[in-house]
Amino acid sequence: MSNQGQGCCGPLSEEPLAKEQAEEMALVFKALGDPVRLRLFSMIASGPSGEVCVCDLTPAFDLSQPTISHHLKLLRQAGLVDSERRGTWVYYRARPETADRMAALLASVSADRASA
Amino acid sequence: MSNQGQGCCGPLSEEPLAKEQAEEMALVFKALGDPVRLRLFSMIASGPSGEVCVCDLTPAFDLSQPTISHHLKLLRQAGLVDSERRGTWVYYRARPETADRMAALLASVSADRASA
DNA sequence: ACAGAAAATAGATAAACGTCTATACAACCT
DNA sequence: AGGTTGTATAGACGTTTATCTATTTTCTGT
């Protein structure tokens, strides 16, 4: 159910994204395309211990607990974060492979223009 | 009307995104969060001459001309592409600064975990 | 075993979005 | 000037999405 693709596509200099690649990666961008989710992701990624408790995320927004939970689920399904329950609390951590894949795609835009 | 912000935010290692930064950058991710738009952007970015004619983009999809035009408008408003009319045709080119900004943000996730 | 707290799920609803058709605008060519 | 083609805008419509309240699940302590 979650997005686990790792190897994907060459730089945009070589060729545009194929339909399936675009659909897959668009899911990740869409997950980051909501202000609340992007902030959640940034909070998770910047957690000093590498992980953040949901109990610290939820009160940081003027939104209901289920809404935050829903956003976290979408980030998980996009492959951007992982969650682990330890006792009462659930901890979220970033999945750098996914962020790296997207970063590489975006960075390859400049690579194009440099080689042109 | 279009998104022109350039300097924005430090790596996610330092601190999470502020509300306004998140809202601004989420707009760009949202623009990339649609399969058609992502593919359009990839086609524009990979144009060998650095630009692509709308007349080449439109027939590449099973969608109406106004729909493609609408998607291109959103990419423009997000600051991801620029357009220029030359005679009858309109040409689109990527704006690497914007892609670079987003790439830097995503790449800073790994930087975090490396320094941890 | 039971009371309580943290997180997820279910279901409802209003707003946003992607798409279409129809129309307008802009530039070319006789 | 008028017809033709390329692109953008306007308006309509069905679907998706973000949010809420209510409930369920999972764990902890006593």
Side-chain angles (χ1 to χ4, degrees), chain A residues 13-94:
Chain A
S13 21
E14 310 286 333
E15 53 181 359
L17 289 173
K19 191 157 169 276
E20 303 79 22
Q21 298 172 332
E23 280 163 359
E24 197 184 310
M25 304 189 83
L27 281 180
V28 184
F29 282 131
K30 185 190 289 189
L32 295 172
D34 178 272
V36 174
R37 283 196 295 271
L38 182 53
R39 215 136 88 80
L40 279 170
F41 178 69
S42 79
M43 293 169 85
I44 294 168
S46 64
S49 67
E51 60 184 12
V52 178
C53 180
V54 173
C55 60
D56 289 328
L57 295 173
T58 304
F61 296 84
D62 264 350
L63 293 169
S64 69
Q65 175 267 319
T67 295
I68 299 297
S69 184
H70 175 243
H71 283 308
L72 289 172
K73 182 187 197 173
L74 293 188
L75 287 174
R76 236 186 303 127
Q77 289 178 337
L80 284 162
V81 300
D82 248 348
S83 67
E84 181 194 356
R85 165 159 240 141
R86 280 206 306 279
T88 304
W89 291 281
V90 175
Y91 296 88
Y92 276 74
R93 51 167 21 97

Side-chain angles (χ1 to χ4, degrees), chain B residues 30 37 64 66-67 70-71 87:
Chain B
K30 187 190 287 191
R37 282 195 297 268
S64 70
T67 295
H70 174 243
H71 283 309

Side-chain angles (χ1 to χ4, degrees), chain A residues 90-102:
Chain A
V90 175
Y91 296 88
Y92 276 74
R93 51 167 21 97
R95 290 182 56 181
E97 333 90 64
T98 303
D100 282 345
R101 258 175 56 232
M102 310 312 279

